[in-house]
Amino acid sequence: MHDLLQIGKFPPLAQDIIDTEFRCHSLEALEQDQALRTAVRALITRSNCVVPAEVIERLPSLGIIATCGVGYDLIPIELAARRQVIVTNTPDVLNAAVAELCVGLLFALLRQIPQGDRFTRSGAWRHAAFPLGVSLAGKRVGIVGLGRIGKEVARRLEPFGVTLAYCGRTDQRLAWRFEPDLHQLARDSDILILASPGGRATEHMIGASVLDALGPQGYLINIARGSVVNQQQLIEALERGAIGGAALDVFDAEPDIDPRLFELDNVVLSPHVGSATGETRIAMARLTLDNLHRFFEDGTALTPVPA
Ligand code: NAP
């Protein structure tokens, strides 16, 4: 059985599979065992965990960082490439789960489903009518970052009778309209869905000017990363009614959520659970472990991220 450094906590059903196939050690355990620290060749982590550069620097035999998740914005990727450390993620196996959550959040926001639940439970229904919601049919949806997940979202939304457009670095020449200008996409959209990677290139890509372009009847859904949105400016936009509302699965400084978001009635919040179904988490753990097995077999990996 091979040794792994584990950074982050996995759900018990995933941890059970990992522990059956590998021997996991914590950072603290490695610090106390110089020989193991020198020998360990593989690191397993989750996409919401930071892998500090100094950890990579202190593991001379490290050959692979296998993250369970698709985002790798918290891994020092340039350092890994310089050190010839392979980085793997778990693309595709989570597309359906994340797309399903996105559609769920969208309806929760437009039809005020969480508010309706509270309204019904509290007995308020006896005294007043529940406020009208907003239909999805006929709306213009803009997707920022039309990759594996973005496309699954688009395919699921199409039957609801929306018009789709997308923005990214490249025109993928699809049936959906490509709009290279993010502000123009926001102006042309009733609903803006964020499904791009996090990291430096997309940091605060969505700020006050994009939100103003989306407008007071516009809705923002973020299933990408908290870093993609300037959260301060988003909260201000929500407070002053510059946009109609937002549904957020990802935040700055998770899980310490800015409490001003709790005061807003035009937001739906979820605790970064895009891929959090039992089926999906097992599939993600399986692919993570298969990457590690392949590395220990022949030094390659099944799903390496681009260096
Ligand atoms: P992907 O296939 O690599 O797609 C990313 C898309 O973003 C690509 O179409 C890319 O298109 C576009 N993009 C890249 N840089 C961009 C930029 N600067 N501006 C606009 N678009 C840009 O990745 P994926 O598997 O769909 O995953 C996307 C992201 O979803 C992940 O990186 C992660 O952050 C997030 N995610 C969240 C959860 C959750 O629980 N909420 C779960 C899984 C993933 P171009 O190359 O043409 O720009």
Side-chain angles (χ1 to χ4, degrees):
M1 210 186 245
H2 292 286
D3 293 295
L4 304 180
L5 165 60
Q6 176 175 333
I7 296 183
K9 200 166 156 25
F10 286 81
L13 90 180
Q15 188 70 52
D16 288 347
I17 308 173
I18 299 169
D19 291 339
T20 313
E21 300 177 30
F22 291 94
R23 209 167 23 233
C24 293
H25 306 276
S26 66
L27 257 178
E28 298 71 33
L30 240 65
E31 287 304 326
Q32 284 156 27
D33 187 339
Q34 167 96 32
L36 183 60
R37 187 168 61 74
T38 311
V40 80
R41 296 174 60 203
L43 190 161
I44 189 168
T45 188
R46 294 184 56 183
S47 59
N48 58 350
C49 296
V50 176
V51 175
E54 52 280 16
V55 169
I56 299 182
E57 272 153 1
R58 285 171 56 71
L59 300 173
S61 305
L62 189 68
I64 184 169
I65 299 172
T67 184
C68 192
V70 76
Y72 48 90
D73 43 305
L74 302 181
I75 298 175
I77 204 89
E78 291 93 1
L79 171 62
R82 269 203 310 283
R83 281 274 317 275
Q84 296 188 309
V85 172
I86 301 169
V87 176
T88 63
N89 64 350
T90 60
D92 286 319
V93 294
L94 42 57
N95 293 352
V98 184
E100 285 170 5
L101 183 84
C102 181
V103 174
L105 285 175
L106 176 54
F107 278 116
L109 183 64
L110 297 185
R111 301 301 298 272
Q112 310 169 87
I113 294 171
Q115 294 91 327
D117 179 84
R118 289 195 292 272
F119 184 84
T120 311
R121 281 170 199 262
S122 71
W125 193 8
R126 291 197 196 93
H127 314 292
F130 189 65
L132 298 180
V134 173
S135 290
L136 178 59
K139 294 294 184 294
R140 302 163 301 163
V141 176
I143 300 184
V144 181
L146 193 80
R148 292 169 294 239
I149 293 170
K151 289 190 184 76
E152 289 298 318
V153 171
R155 288 188 194 108
R156 280 161 175 76
L157 290 183
E158 231 169 6
F160 289 107
V162 300
T163 310
L164 285 153
Y166 69 99
C167 167
R169 295 165 305 179
T170 40
D171 180 352
Q172 302 181 50
R173 308 207 171 276
L174 304 166
W176 304 308
R177 183 171 71 84
F178 174 63
E179 172 51 71
D181 180 344
L182 178 56
H183 286 82
Q184 190 59 44
L185 183 75
R187 264 192 295 279
D188 293 346
S189 299
D190 303 300
I191 295 152
L192 198 63
I193 296 178
L194 310 181
S196 71
R200 273 200 299 275
T202 57
E203 193 172 2
H204 289 186
M205 176 163 70
I206 307 296
S209 62
V210 175
L211 297 170
D212 285 341
L214 184 58
Q217 310 296 324
Y219 294 89
L220 181 79
I221 317 288
N222 188 6
I223 50 150
R225 284 287 179 268
S227 62
V228 175
V229 176
N230 183 324
Q231 191 171 280
Q232 177 74 26
Q233 292 179 5
L234 170 62
I235 292 170
E236 283 162 16
L238 287 161
E239 284 172 343
R240 64 185 159 88
I243 64 169
L248 309 170
D249 185 46
V250 285
F251 306 86
D252 278 350
E254 294 170 15
D256 297 320
I257 308 305
D258 189 320
R260 286 176 300 166
L261 283 169
F262 306 148
E263 302 302 319
L264 291 163
D265 210 33
N266 52 349
V267 298
V268 173
L269 310 174
S270 65
H272 197 156
V273 287
S275 67
T277 71
E279 298 89 333
T280 305
R281 287 292 165 83
I282 289 173
M284 290 163 68
R286 188 64 268 149
L287 182 52
T288 309
L289 295 178
D290 288 347
N291 269 304
L292 289 164
H293 285 299
R294 175 63 73 88
F295 169 75
F296 283 111
E297 271 158 38
D298 66 7
T300 67
L302 298 171
T303 52
V305 307

